[in-house]
Amino acid sequence: QVQLVESGGGLVQAGGSLRLSCAASGRTFSSYAMGWFRQAPGKEREFVAAITRSGGSTDYADSRKGRFTISRDNAKNTVYLQMNSLKPEDTAVYYCAATRMIFTLRADEYDYWGQGTQVTVSS
C-alpha cells in the first residue's frame, strides 16, 4: 500500500509559480506511475499530468502543456508538479495519485490518492 501526502499549495497572484510536492510512503514508489489531478469547486476532477515509473515519459492535459512540468525523484519517493504562469482558472484542489498501470490519464485507473492541497490564484 502507498500513502501519499501533498504539499506546496497556497495563494499566488496570476502569473506566479508554485511547486507542489507529493511524498510517498513505502519502498515501492518506483513501481508506480504517478499522476496529478485537480478539482475546482462544482467541477469534476480532471487530469493535469502523469509520469511513468522511471520518469522517462510524461503527458499533460492540453491546457497545461508548456506551463506545468511533472517530475519525480525515486530516491526521495517524491513526485513534483512545477506550475508556472498560473491563471485564476488554475484554482483548485490538487491531488497526486499512484497507479500500478504502466501509464494512464484516467482517474479511475489510479489506485492511491493523497488528501489534496489547495492552490488559489488571484487575479
Side-chain angles (χ1 to χ4, degrees):
Q1 192 161 353
V2 177
Q3 292 184 326
L4 304 172
V5 179
E6 302 96 334
S7 61
L11 175 64
V12 63
Q13 289 188 331
S17 298
L18 281 175
R19 188 193 196 201
L20 305 183
S21 298
C22 174
S25 66
R27 295 175 290 180
T28 60
F29 177 69
S30 60
S31 299
Y32 294 89
M34 300 296 295
W36 285 96
F37 293 79
R38 70 185 188 186
Q39 188 166 19
K43 295 187 177 182
E44 294 187 353
R45 191 169 297 189
E46 62 177 355
F47 169 75
V48 175
I51 189 167
T52 54
R53 298 166 185 170
S54 66
S57 294
T58 59
D59 201 359
Y60 301 89
D62 287 343
S63 63
R64 265 73 78 182
K65 286 181 180 177
R67 297 193 299 124
F68 291 9
T69 303
I70 187 172
S71 62
R72 67 189 295 164
D73 185 338
N74 286 344
K76 294 183 178 179
N77 282 11
T78 302
V79 62
Y80 305 97
L81 184 68
Q82 177 68 43
M83 304 186 294
N84 299 327
S85 302
L86 283 163
K87 305 174 182 179
E89 50 264 43
D90 293 318
T91 295
V93 177
Y94 283 71
Y95 299 89
C96 73
T99 177
R100 294 184 184 91
M101 298 187 68
I102 293 175
F103 196 70
T104 180
L105 312 183
R106 292 179 50 171
D108 61 357
E109 293 179 338
Y110 280 78
D111 304 293
Y112 302 103
W113 292 82
Q115 83 290 348
T117 186
Q118 176 70 47
V119 171
T120 303
V121 184
S122 63
S123 56

